[in-house]
Amino acid sequence: HDLQELYNETLEILEKYDLKTQSELTNTLKAYIDCQQNITKTAKQLFIHRNTMFYRLDQIRELIHIDFDSKDDIYKLQTAFYIKDILNKI
């Protein structure tokens, strides 16, 4: 996988969706990963209800076809966020 391609297949899709719909899926995903996939902790951090958190995760899953139970998929998402940080610094 090319690094740019990994970013394009994940975060770029979410960022475009967020821009179009004024949603917070990218930030939600980042917080979820930073909170070690703990829904309650993430919801508290984002000041949203747990049900909202479940809804957003379902949207993310549907948009980028990610399996949150897969360590490989979580690793890909973490890597995509690192790529995003690098691209923003260039």
Side-chain angles (χ1 to χ4, degrees):
H1 255 304
D2 174 56
L3 293 178
Q4 182 71 47
E5 186 178 324
L6 175 62
Y7 170 79
N8 293 349
E9 292 174 354
T10 55
L11 297 186
E12 185 179 51
I13 292 169
L14 290 182
E15 289 171 342
K16 286 180 178 179
Y17 183 84
D18 284 345
L19 277 175
K20 190 170 95 176
T21 64
Q22 300 298 302
S23 57
E24 290 284 324
L25 298 184
T26 306
N27 292 337
T28 300
L29 179 59
K30 177 76 169 111
Y32 182 63
I33 289 172
D34 289 347
C35 292
Q36 289 80 41
Q37 297 88 40
N38 182 313
I39 288 175
T40 302
K41 185 177 176 183
T42 308
K44 282 182 181 179
Q45 182 177 319
L46 295 174
F47 304 102
I48 61 174
H49 193 276
R50 285 183 75 231
N51 289 347
T52 303
M53 189 64 210
F54 282 113
Y55 176 73
R56 288 183 184 179
L57 290 177
D58 284 341
Q59 286 183 297
I60 292 166
R61 193 178 290 112
E62 195 172 298
L63 284 166
I64 61 175
H65 311 288
I66 209 81
D67 177 3
F68 290 114
D69 295 327
S70 164
K71 290 189 185 298
D72 286 343
D73 282 1
I74 295 298
Y75 178 72
K76 286 178 187 175
L77 292 172
Q78 290 170 323
T79 304
F81 276 109
Y82 290 130
I83 293 166
K84 177 184 175 184
D85 289 343
I86 291 167
L87 291 174
N88 287 339
K89 291 176 183 173
I90 296 176

